[in-house]
Amino acid sequence: NAGVTQTPKFQVLKTGQSMTLQCAQDMNHEYMSWYRQDPGMGLRLIHYSVGAGITDQGEVPNGYNVSRSTTEDFPLRLLSAAPSQTSVYFCASSPDDNEQFFGPGTRLTVL
Amino acid sequence: SQQGEEDPQALSIQEGENATMNCSYKTSINNLQWYRQNSGRGLVHLILIRSNEREKHSGRLRVTLDTSKKSSSLLITASRAADTASYFCPRSSNTGNQFYFGTGTSLTVIP
């Protein structure tokens, strides 16, 4: 099993550009989440999903969209990138409300 | 806040010593988990302790939970340089769908 994979590993955007961060898992987990981690801030939940077709907002959802058309994939879309979205983004999956499996992260810089 | 709050923020010890870090929370929990994050990497699940458990062991890790004080502690015995990382105790929401992270404890083990 590859576990949780994220692409790209690094990305530089200009203000106003849009892009999609990809997340995929091959463990057939129902729960998937997106977090951002800023220096000294810990992880903050952006959006999460409890199954295909079901998504909900976390702590900091503004400026991001998600969809869950399959169990495996949970892409995160930045609609119009802003410098405040410069961060490291982590995707995680879980079979239930217990252990979460994290991807390696995507480092995003918005200029 | 529903976040687990880790204490201390930073801890520096010599290799071979024990490291203890604490976690406090404010609302009732079903379980509490500890995660490790090595610099620049994703988070890795270490151990989960349920609300009806008081102590749990996994290798060199020992976790205690005191629900009356709403606190948990993580003890790493005989620390190694490879234990250098940040440690987090996220709390799950009552529905189990959302995880809230604090800023973690940054542990440095000096060889």
Side-chain angles (χ1 to χ4, degrees), chain A residues 32-84:
Chain A
M32 295 188 75
S33 304
W34 274 104
Y35 297 88
R36 59 177 288 174
Q37 185 175 32
D38 303 313
M41 294 287 291
L43 278 74
R44 290 184 291 172
L45 181 65
I46 305 172
H47 285 283
Y48 66 98
S49 168
V50 299
I54 306 170
T55 64
D56 207 345
Q57 297 181 348
E59 298 173 90
V60 289
N62 293 341
Y64 307 94
N65 273 356
V66 292
S67 61
R68 184 96 180 272
S69 56
T70 67
T71 299
E72 294 78 19
D73 300 300
F74 192 41
L76 178 72
R77 297 183 185 84
L78 279 70
L79 309 174
S80 178
S84 61

Tab-separated table of all heavy atoms in Angstrom, chain A residues 32-84:
chain	number	residue	atom	x	y	z
A	32	MET	N	-11.485	11.493	5.455
A	32	MET	CA	-10.317	12.195	4.923
A	32	MET	C	-10.391	13.653	5.335
A	32	MET	O	-11.487	14.212	5.498
A	32	MET	CB	-10.245	12.080	3.396
A	32	MET	CG	-10.018	10.650	2.912
A	32	MET	SD	-9.690	10.515	1.149
A	32	MET	CE	-7.990	11.116	1.056
A	33	SER	N	-9.232	14.244	5.527
A	33	SER	CA	-9.171	15.628	6.031
A	33	SER	C	-8.024	16.375	5.370
A	33	SER	O	-7.032	15.758	4.944
A	33	SER	CB	-8.936	15.632	7.553
A	33	SER	OG	-9.908	14.886	8.247
A	34	TRP	N	-8.169	17.686	5.342
A	34	TRP	CA	-7.100	18.582	4.913
A	34	TRP	C	-6.770	19.520	6.065
A	34	TRP	O	-7.673	20.099	6.686
A	34	TRP	CB	-7.508	19.417	3.709
A	34	TRP	CG	-7.292	18.754	2.387
A	34	TRP	CD1	-8.225	18.196	1.588
A	34	TRP	CD2	-6.039	18.606	1.717
A	34	TRP	NE1	-7.632	17.693	0.458
A	34	TRP	CE2	-6.295	17.937	0.513
A	34	TRP	CE3	-4.722	18.977	2.017
A	34	TRP	CZ2	-5.290	17.627	-0.408
A	34	TRP	CZ3	-3.723	18.678	1.105
A	34	TRP	CH2	-4.010	18.008	-0.087
A	35	TYR	N	-5.463	19.674	6.314
A	35	TYR	CA	-4.978	20.584	7.340
A	35	TYR	C	-3.948	21.520	6.712
A	35	TYR	O	-3.294	21.183	5.726
A	35	TYR	CB	-4.269	19.836	8.477
A	35	TYR	CG	-5.127	18.893	9.262
A	35	TYR	CD1	-5.296	17.579	8.858
A	35	TYR	CD2	-5.737	19.301	10.442
A	35	TYR	CE1	-6.063	16.691	9.599
A	35	TYR	CE2	-6.511	18.421	11.198
A	35	TYR	CZ	-6.657	17.122	10.763
A	35	TYR	OH	-7.419	16.256	11.510
A	36	ARG	N	-3.771	22.668	7.337
A	36	ARG	CA	-2.635	23.516	7.017
A	36	ARG	C	-1.825	23.725	8.290
A	36	ARG	O	-2.383	23.754	9.400
A	36	ARG	CB	-3.072	24.862	6.428
A	36	ARG	CG	-3.960	25.714	7.306
A	36	ARG	CD	-4.264	27.057	6.635
A	36	ARG	NE	-3.094	27.935	6.622
A	36	ARG	CZ	-3.050	29.107	6.003
A	36	ARG	NH1	-4.119	29.538	5.318
A	36	ARG	NH2	-1.960	29.839	6.030
A	37	GLN	N	-0.529	23.833	8.109
A	37	GLN	CA	0.358	24.030	9.245
A	37	GLN	C	1.236	25.235	8.984
A	37	GLN	O	2.058	25.233	8.068
A	37	GLN	CB	1.229	22.799	9.503
A	37	GLN	CG	2.085	22.934	10.767
A	37	GLN	CD	2.869	21.662	11.082
A	37	GLN	OE1	3.276	20.927	10.197
A	37	GLN	NE2	3.070	21.401	12.372
A	38	ASP	N	1.058	26.242	9.804
A	38	ASP	CA	1.877	27.443	9.744
A	38	ASP	C	2.881	27.402	10.885
A	38	ASP	O	2.638	26.769	11.910
A	38	ASP	CB	0.998	28.690	9.874
A	38	ASP	CG	-0.077	28.731	8.808
A	38	ASP	OD1	0.264	28.492	7.637
A	38	ASP	OD2	-1.233	28.997	9.141
A	39	PRO	N	4.007	28.074	10.727
A	39	PRO	CA	5.032	28.050	11.783
A	39	PRO	C	4.471	28.470	13.126
A	39	PRO	O	3.839	29.527	13.245
A	39	PRO	CB	6.070	29.052	11.262
A	39	PRO	CG	5.899	29.039	9.785
A	39	PRO	CD	4.427	28.847	9.550
A	40	GLY	N	4.678	27.643	14.145
A	40	GLY	CA	4.228	27.971	15.487
A	40	GLY	C	2.727	27.893	15.705
A	40	GLY	O	2.249	28.284	16.768
A	41	MET	N	1.976	27.398	14.722
A	41	MET	CA	0.510	27.410	14.848
A	41	MET	C	-0.088	26.032	14.980
A	41	MET	O	-1.264	25.908	15.199
A	41	MET	CB	-0.117	28.087	13.622
A	41	MET	CG	0.203	29.557	13.509
A	41	MET	SD	-0.687	30.536	14.714
A	41	MET	CE	-2.358	30.397	14.101
A	42	GLY	N	0.718	24.980	14.862
A	42	GLY	CA	0.128	23.656	14.871
A	42	GLY	C	-0.665	23.421	13.596
A	42	GLY	O	-0.576	24.177	12.629
A	43	LEU	N	-1.476	22.378	13.575
A	43	LEU	CA	-2.297	22.067	12.404
A	43	LEU	C	-3.709	22.605	12.597
A	43	LEU	O	-4.272	22.493	13.675
A	43	LEU	CB	-2.373	20.546	12.191
A	43	LEU	CG	-1.218	19.886	11.470
A	43	LEU	CD1	0.000	19.782	12.350
A	43	LEU	CD2	-1.627	18.506	10.970
A	44	ARG	N	-4.239	23.139	11.527
A	44	ARG	CA	-5.621	23.612	11.575
A	44	ARG	C	-6.418	22.921	10.485
A	44	ARG	O	-5.983	22.830	9.335
A	44	ARG	CB	-5.677	25.131	11.415
A	44	ARG	CG	-5.133	25.890	12.624
A	44	ARG	CD	-5.292	27.386	12.452
A	44	ARG	NE	-4.412	27.902	11.420
A	44	ARG	CZ	-4.469	29.169	10.954
A	44	ARG	NH1	-5.384	29.995	11.414
A	44	ARG	NH2	-3.617	29.551	10.035
A	45	LEU	N	-7.616	22.474	10.845
A	45	LEU	CA	-8.456	21.719	9.934
A	45	LEU	C	-9.135	22.641	8.937
A	45	LEU	O	-9.794	23.608	9.322
A	45	LEU	CB	-9.492	20.944	10.741
A	45	LEU	CG	-10.457	20.056	9.972
A	45	LEU	CD1	-9.703	18.912	9.282
A	45	LEU	CD2	-11.514	19.497	10.916
A	46	ILE	N	-8.998	22.327	7.650
A	46	ILE	CA	-9.596	23.154	6.598
A	46	ILE	C	-10.961	22.592	6.199
A	46	ILE	O	-11.993	23.260	6.297
A	46	ILE	CB	-8.683	23.222	5.364
A	46	ILE	CG1	-7.287	23.718	5.743
A	46	ILE	CG2	-9.291	24.132	4.295
A	46	ILE	CD1	-6.276	23.620	4.602
A	47	HIS	N	-10.963	21.380	5.691
A	47	HIS	CA	-12.179	20.679	5.308
A	47	HIS	C	-12.005	19.201	5.634
A	47	HIS	O	-10.878	18.714	5.717
A	47	HIS	CB	-12.460	20.803	3.807
A	47	HIS	CG	-12.977	22.122	3.366
A	47	HIS	ND1	-14.285	22.515	3.565
A	47	HIS	CD2	-12.363	23.131	2.710
A	47	HIS	CE1	-14.444	23.738	3.049
A	47	HIS	NE2	-13.293	24.127	2.536
A	48	TYR	N	-13.108	18.503	5.770
A	48	TYR	CA	-13.027	17.082	5.991
A	48	TYR	C	-14.194	16.384	5.300
A	48	TYR	O	-15.169	17.021	4.881
A	48	TYR	CB	-12.992	16.744	7.490
A	48	TYR	CG	-14.257	17.073	8.244
A	48	TYR	CD1	-15.219	16.095	8.505
A	48	TYR	CD2	-14.479	18.355	8.717
A	48	TYR	CE1	-16.367	16.399	9.216
A	48	TYR	CE2	-15.625	18.668	9.418
A	48	TYR	CZ	-16.561	17.690	9.679
A	48	TYR	OH	-17.710	17.995	10.370
A	49	SER	N	-14.065	15.056	5.193
A	49	SER	CA	-15.095	14.265	4.524
A	49	SER	C	-15.261	12.944	5.282
A	49	SER	O	-14.273	12.336	5.688
A	49	SER	CB	-14.679	13.989	3.076
A	49	SER	OG	-15.521	13.016	2.499
A	50	VAL	N	-16.509	12.542	5.454
A	50	VAL	CA	-16.773	11.281	6.157
A	50	VAL	C	-17.140	10.163	5.186
A	50	VAL	O	-17.491	9.066	5.607
A	50	VAL	CB	-17.865	11.451	7.236
A	50	VAL	CG1	-17.428	12.456	8.273
A	50	VAL	CG2	-19.186	11.849	6.606
A	51	GLY	N	-17.053	10.467	3.890
A	51	GLY	CA	-17.330	9.450	2.891
A	51	GLY	C	-17.543	10.114	1.546
A	51	GLY	O	-17.692	11.340	1.447
A	52	ALA	N	-17.557	9.307	0.504
A	52	ALA	CA	-17.746	9.837	-0.845
A	52	ALA	C	-19.052	10.620	-0.918
A	52	ALA	O	-20.090	10.163	-0.445
A	52	ALA	CB	-17.747	8.694	-1.862
A	53	GLY	N	-18.949	11.813	-1.480
A	53	GLY	CA	-20.113	12.667	-1.639
A	53	GLY	C	-20.455	13.534	-0.450
A	53	GLY	O	-21.385	14.347	-0.500
A	54	ILE	N	-19.688	13.405	0.639
A	54	ILE	CA	-19.986	14.146	1.869
A	54	ILE	C	-18.749	14.924	2.297
A	54	ILE	O	-17.692	14.339	2.545
A	54	ILE	CB	-20.394	13.193	3.007
A	54	ILE	CG1	-21.534	12.281	2.593
A	54	ILE	CG2	-20.771	14.004	4.257
A	54	ILE	CD1	-21.815	11.168	3.559
A	55	THR	N	-18.889	16.244	2.363
A	55	THR	CA	-17.797	17.081	2.850
A	55	THR	C	-18.353	18.096	3.834
A	55	THR	O	-19.552	18.399	3.827
A	55	THR	CB	-17.078	17.820	1.707
A	55	THR	OG1	-17.995	18.726	1.083
A	55	THR	CG2	-16.531	16.837	0.684
A	56	ASP	N	-17.467	18.639	4.639
A	56	ASP	CA	-17.882	19.644	5.613
A	56	ASP	C	-16.693	20.537	5.932
A	56	ASP	O	-15.538	20.199	5.669
A	56	ASP	CB	-18.423	19.003	6.878
A	56	ASP	CG	-19.427	19.898	7.591
A	56	ASP	OD1	-19.487	21.118	7.274
A	56	ASP	OD2	-20.149	19.391	8.455
A	57	GLN	N	-17.004	21.708	6.500
A	57	GLN	CA	-15.982	22.693	6.795
A	57	GLN	C	-15.332	22.419	8.141
A	57	GLN	O	-15.973	21.961	9.080
A	57	GLN	CB	-16.597	24.096	6.784
A	57	GLN	CG	-17.161	24.505	5.440
A	57	GLN	CD	-17.746	25.909	5.487
A	57	GLN	OE1	-17.929	26.486	6.559
A	57	GLN	NE2	-18.050	26.450	4.332
A	58	GLY	N	-14.046	22.774	8.208
A	58	GLY	CA	-13.328	22.712	9.461
A	58	GLY	C	-13.189	24.088	10.070
A	58	GLY	O	-14.083	24.920	9.981
A	59	GLU	N	-12.011	24.331	10.671
A	59	GLU	CA	-11.771	25.605	11.361
A	59	GLU	C	-11.524	26.766	10.418
A	59	GLU	O	-11.918	27.907	10.694
A	59	GLU	CB	-10.541	25.468	12.260
A	59	GLU	CG	-10.628	24.448	13.362
A	59	GLU	CD	-9.281	24.313	14.056
A	59	GLU	OE1	-9.035	25.056	15.032
A	59	GLU	OE2	-8.456	23.467	13.628
A	60	VAL	N	-10.811	26.504	9.312
A	60	VAL	CA	-10.358	27.588	8.429
A	60	VAL	C	-10.689	27.278	6.977
A	60	VAL	O	-9.816	27.119	6.137
A	60	VAL	CB	-8.839	27.844	8.616
A	60	VAL	CG1	-8.558	28.500	9.945
A	60	VAL	CG2	-8.045	26.551	8.472
A	61	PRO	N	-11.977	27.244	6.594
A	61	PRO	CA	-12.345	26.811	5.241
A	61	PRO	C	-12.304	27.896	4.160
A	61	PRO	O	-12.329	27.572	2.961
A	61	PRO	CB	-13.785	26.345	5.448
A	61	PRO	CG	-14.298	27.250	6.529
A	61	PRO	CD	-13.127	27.457	7.460
A	62	ASN	N	-12.242	29.174	4.576
A	62	ASN	CA	-12.370	30.256	3.600
A	62	ASN	C	-11.226	30.242	2.604
A	62	ASN	O	-10.055	30.186	2.958
A	62	ASN	CB	-12.429	31.603	4.307
A	62	ASN	CG	-13.705	31.759	5.119
A	62	ASN	OD1	-14.680	31.046	4.893
A	62	ASN	ND2	-13.696	32.672	6.073
A	63	GLY	N	-11.601	30.322	1.320
A	63	GLY	CA	-10.606	30.348	0.256
A	63	GLY	C	-10.293	28.980	-0.315
A	63	GLY	O	-9.473	28.865	-1.229
A	64	TYR	N	-10.924	27.956	0.224
A	64	TYR	CA	-10.673	26.579	-0.210
A	64	TYR	C	-11.993	25.872	-0.534
A	64	TYR	O	-12.995	26.087	0.139
A	64	TYR	CB	-9.969	25.781	0.890
A	64	TYR	CG	-8.716	26.398	1.450
A	64	TYR	CD1	-8.776	27.191	2.595
A	64	TYR	CD2	-7.477	26.176	0.857
A	64	TYR	CE1	-7.632	27.758	3.136
A	64	TYR	CE2	-6.326	26.738	1.397
A	64	TYR	CZ	-6.411	27.521	2.536
A	64	TYR	OH	-5.282	28.076	3.068
A	65	ASN	N	-11.923	25.012	-1.548
A	65	ASN	CA	-13.046	24.136	-1.861
A	65	ASN	C	-12.560	22.691	-1.894
A	65	ASN	O	-11.397	22.425	-2.246
A	65	ASN	CB	-13.645	24.480	-3.230
A	65	ASN	CG	-14.697	25.568	-3.119
A	65	ASN	OD1	-15.030	26.010	-2.036
A	65	ASN	ND2	-15.207	25.990	-4.258
A	66	VAL	N	-13.461	21.772	-1.579
A	66	VAL	CA	-13.136	20.352	-1.675
A	66	VAL	C	-14.304	19.617	-2.319
A	66	VAL	O	-15.431	20.129	-2.367
A	66	VAL	CB	-12.843	19.704	-0.302
A	66	VAL	CG1	-11.553	20.229	0.304
A	66	VAL	CG2	-14.018	19.900	0.648
A	67	SER	N	-14.024	18.433	-2.806
A	67	SER	CA	-15.043	17.517	-3.294
A	67	SER	C	-14.566	16.105	-3.005
A	67	SER	O	-13.361	15.855	-2.848
A	67	SER	CB	-15.285	17.718	-4.793
A	67	SER	OG	-14.090	17.471	-5.514
A	68	ARG	N	-15.491	15.169	-2.943
A	68	ARG	CA	-15.134	13.771	-2.669
A	68	ARG	C	-16.012	12.900	-3.556
A	68	ARG	O	-17.054	12.412	-3.138
A	68	ARG	CB	-15.353	13.442	-1.193
A	68	ARG	CG	-14.908	12.036	-0.807
A	68	ARG	CD	-13.524	12.050	-0.228
A	68	ARG	NE	-13.082	10.721	0.144
A	68	ARG	CZ	-13.318	10.153	1.342
A	68	ARG	NH1	-14.010	10.816	2.279
A	68	ARG	NH2	-12.864	8.948	1.602
A	69	SER	N	-15.582	12.726	-4.780
A	69	SER	CA	-16.366	11.930	-5.725
A	69	SER	C	-16.065	10.440	-5.595
A	69	SER	O	-16.894	9.606	-5.987
A	69	SER	CB	-16.112	12.389	-7.170
A	69	SER	OG	-14.733	12.329	-7.453
A	70	THR	N	-14.916	10.104	-5.052
A	70	THR	CA	-14.558	8.705	-4.827
A	70	THR	C	-14.027	8.542	-3.409
A	70	THR	O	-13.643	9.520	-2.771
A	70	THR	CB	-13.478	8.218	-5.805
A	70	THR	OG1	-12.249	8.916	-5.519
A	70	THR	CG2	-13.884	8.466	-7.255
A	71	THR	N	-13.972	7.330	-2.932
A	71	THR	CA	-13.393	7.078	-1.615
A	71	THR	C	-11.911	7.405	-1.593
A	71	THR	O	-11.390	7.878	-0.583
A	71	THR	CB	-13.597	5.594	-1.226
A	71	THR	OG1	-14.981	5.307	-1.171
A	71	THR	CG2	-12.967	5.283	0.130
A	72	GLU	N	-11.236	7.197	-2.723
A	72	GLU	CA	-9.782	7.308	-2.749
A	72	GLU	C	-9.264	8.736	-2.788
A	72	GLU	O	-8.194	9.028	-2.272
A	72	GLU	CB	-9.230	6.561	-3.974
A	72	GLU	CG	-9.423	5.055	-3.936
A	72	GLU	CD	-10.839	4.653	-4.298
A	72	GLU	OE1	-11.568	5.455	-4.922
A	72	GLU	OE2	-11.237	3.523	-3.935
A	73	ASP	N	-9.982	9.644	-3.438
A	73	ASP	CA	-9.424	10.966	-3.724
A	73	ASP	C	-10.139	12.085	-2.984
A	73	ASP	O	-11.370	12.081	-2.859
A	73	ASP	CB	-9.494	11.236	-5.235
A	73	ASP	CG	-8.717	10.209	-6.028
A	73	ASP	OD1	-7.496	10.106	-5.814
A	73	ASP	OD2	-9.335	9.507	-6.849
A	74	PHE	N	-9.380	13.071	-2.582
A	74	PHE	CA	-9.935	14.214	-1.842
A	74	PHE	C	-9.118	15.454	-2.206
A	74	PHE	O	-8.266	15.903	-1.450
A	74	PHE	CB	-9.874	13.939	-0.342
A	74	PHE	CG	-10.662	14.907	0.498
A	74	PHE	CD1	-11.919	15.352	0.120
A	74	PHE	CD2	-10.150	15.355	1.720
A	74	PHE	CE1	-12.642	16.222	0.908
A	74	PHE	CE2	-10.874	16.228	2.516
A	74	PHE	CZ	-12.118	16.655	2.109
A	75	PRO	N	-9.362	16.047	-3.375
A	75	PRO	CA	-8.579	17.215	-3.797
A	75	PRO	C	-8.998	18.494	-3.072
A	75	PRO	O	-10.158	18.672	-2.714
A	75	PRO	CB	-8.893	17.308	-5.290
A	75	PRO	CG	-10.234	16.662	-5.426
A	75	PRO	CD	-10.305	15.580	-4.390
A	76	LEU	N	-8.029	19.356	-2.872
A	76	LEU	CA	-8.249	20.666	-2.238
A	76	LEU	C	-7.981	21.739	-3.270
A	76	LEU	O	-6.888	21.796	-3.837
A	76	LEU	CB	-7.303	20.845	-1.047
A	76	LEU	CG	-7.379	22.179	-0.313
A	76	LEU	CD1	-8.671	22.278	0.486
A	76	LEU	CD2	-6.169	22.369	0.604
A	77	ARG	N	-8.953	22.597	-3.514
A	77	ARG	CA	-8.816	23.643	-4.509
A	77	ARG	C	-8.651	25.008	-3.862
A	77	ARG	O	-9.433	25.379	-2.994
A	77	ARG	CB	-10.037	23.661	-5.431
A	77	ARG	CG	-10.214	22.393	-6.226
A	77	ARG	CD	-11.401	22.485	-7.196
A	77	ARG	NE	-11.625	21.214	-7.855
A	77	ARG	CZ	-12.328	20.218	-7.321
A	77	ARG	NH1	-12.890	20.368	-6.121
A	77	ARG	NH2	-12.480	19.088	-7.972
A	78	LEU	N	-7.624	25.713	-4.293
A	78	LEU	CA	-7.460	27.102	-3.917
A	78	LEU	C	-8.053	27.936	-5.039
A	78	LEU	O	-7.626	27.858	-6.189
A	78	LEU	CB	-5.982	27.460	-3.733
A	78	LEU	CG	-5.340	27.084	-2.399
A	78	LEU	CD1	-5.194	25.573	-2.277
A	78	LEU	CD2	-4.013	27.775	-2.233
A	79	LEU	N	-9.036	28.722	-4.720
A	79	LEU	CA	-9.804	29.417	-5.742
A	79	LEU	C	-9.056	30.618	-6.317
A	79	LEU	O	-9.030	30.829	-7.514
A	79	LEU	CB	-11.135	29.852	-5.142
A	79	LEU	CG	-11.912	28.726	-4.438
A	79	LEU	CD1	-13.141	29.291	-3.744
A	79	LEU	CD2	-12.285	27.643	-5.433
A	80	SER	N	-8.473	31.426	-5.437
A	80	SER	CA	-7.718	32.605	-5.828
A	80	SER	C	-6.644	32.797	-4.765
A	80	SER	O	-6.904	33.380	-3.711
A	80	SER	CB	-8.631	33.829	-5.910
A	80	SER	OG	-7.872	34.987	-6.244
A	81	ALA	N	-5.454	32.284	-5.048
A	81	ALA	CA	-4.415	32.209	-4.024
A	81	ALA	C	-4.042	33.574	-3.464
A	81	ALA	O	-3.968	34.570	-4.198
A	81	ALA	CB	-3.179	31.511	-4.584
A	82	ALA	N	-3.810	33.598	-2.150
A	82	ALA	CA	-3.386	34.807	-1.456
A	82	ALA	C	-2.127	34.488	-0.645
A	82	ALA	O	-1.931	33.328	-0.238
A	82	ALA	CB	-4.493	35.295	-0.529
A	83	PRO	N	-1.278	35.488	-0.395
A	83	PRO	CA	-0.062	35.232	0.400
A	83	PRO	C	-0.358	34.590	1.754
A	83	PRO	O	0.470	33.820	2.270
A	83	PRO	CB	0.548	36.620	0.550
A	83	PRO	CG	0.100	37.350	-0.679
A	83	PRO	CD	-1.306	36.857	-0.939
A	84	SER	N	-1.527	34.864	2.324
A	84	SER	CA	-1.896	34.273	3.615
A	84	SER	C	-2.094	32.763	3.531
A	84	SER	O	-2.168	32.082	4.574
A	84	SER	CB	-3.168	34.924	4.156
A	84	SER	OG	-4.250	34.707	3.254
